[in-house]
Amino acid sequence: QVQLVESGGGAVQAGGSLRLSCVASDLSSTNCMGWFRQAPGKEREAVASIDVDGTTTYADSGKGRFTISQDNDKDTLSLQMNNLNPDATAMYYCAAARFYRCELDVSRYPYWGQGTQVPVPS
């Protein structure tokens, strides 16, 4: 059973940085992991994904200021977020799936963590 546990969230001032982590267990049935976020009153959206070979894909929401990475053991996923602005305020989730090619479709990820909150006050 895939289990994902996020950490690292917390309030950060505009312009600041934050690094989120996601510890994963039993990833044998997956080959793709991603970060997603859901702002208050909005739908969940993709931020970035990474496959087992380290190939990354960024959604528009993640381009420029966010960097997704995975440790060598592939059991910890990270999201480095720089120069944050209030628009980044959201609950951030990591997710895992098995795809032919890693993708960013929220609806196709079956395994999710509980999320970690990132408020960026204006």
Side-chain angles (χ1 to χ4, degrees):
Q1 180 72 20
V2 177
Q3 292 187 325
L4 305 168
V5 180
E6 302 95 335
S7 62
V12 58
Q13 291 184 337
S17 298
L18 203 63
R19 187 177 183 87
L20 305 182
S21 295
C22 172
V23 176
S25 61
D26 196 10
L27 291 175
S28 59
S29 62
T30 67
N31 63 354
C32 178
M33 295 189 74
W35 282 103
F36 300 81
R37 69 184 185 182
Q38 187 165 15
K42 295 187 177 181
E43 294 185 353
R44 193 170 299 186
E45 64 176 0
V47 175
S49 67
I50 186 168
D51 69 15
V52 290
D53 296 324
T55 301
T56 58
T57 303
Y58 290 89
D60 288 343
S61 64
K63 288 179 181 177
R65 290 175 291 177
F66 293 1
T67 303
I68 189 172
S69 62
Q70 202 168 32
D71 69 1
N72 290 335
D73 294 331
K74 304 292 190 292
D75 61 357
T76 301
L77 183 72
S78 297
L79 184 69
Q80 178 67 40
M81 306 186 293
N82 298 324
N83 194 23
L84 289 165
N85 62 34
D87 289 345
T89 293
M91 183 75 85
Y92 284 74
Y93 300 88
C94 71
R98 173 166 287 278
F99 296 121
Y100 176 75
R101 183 176 293 123
C102 209
E103 46 182 274
L104 294 171
D105 188 335
V106 173
S107 66
R108 296 197 61 196
Y109 279 76
Y111 306 110
W112 293 85
Q114 82 290 347
T116 186
Q117 187 74 43
V118 177
V120 185
S122 56

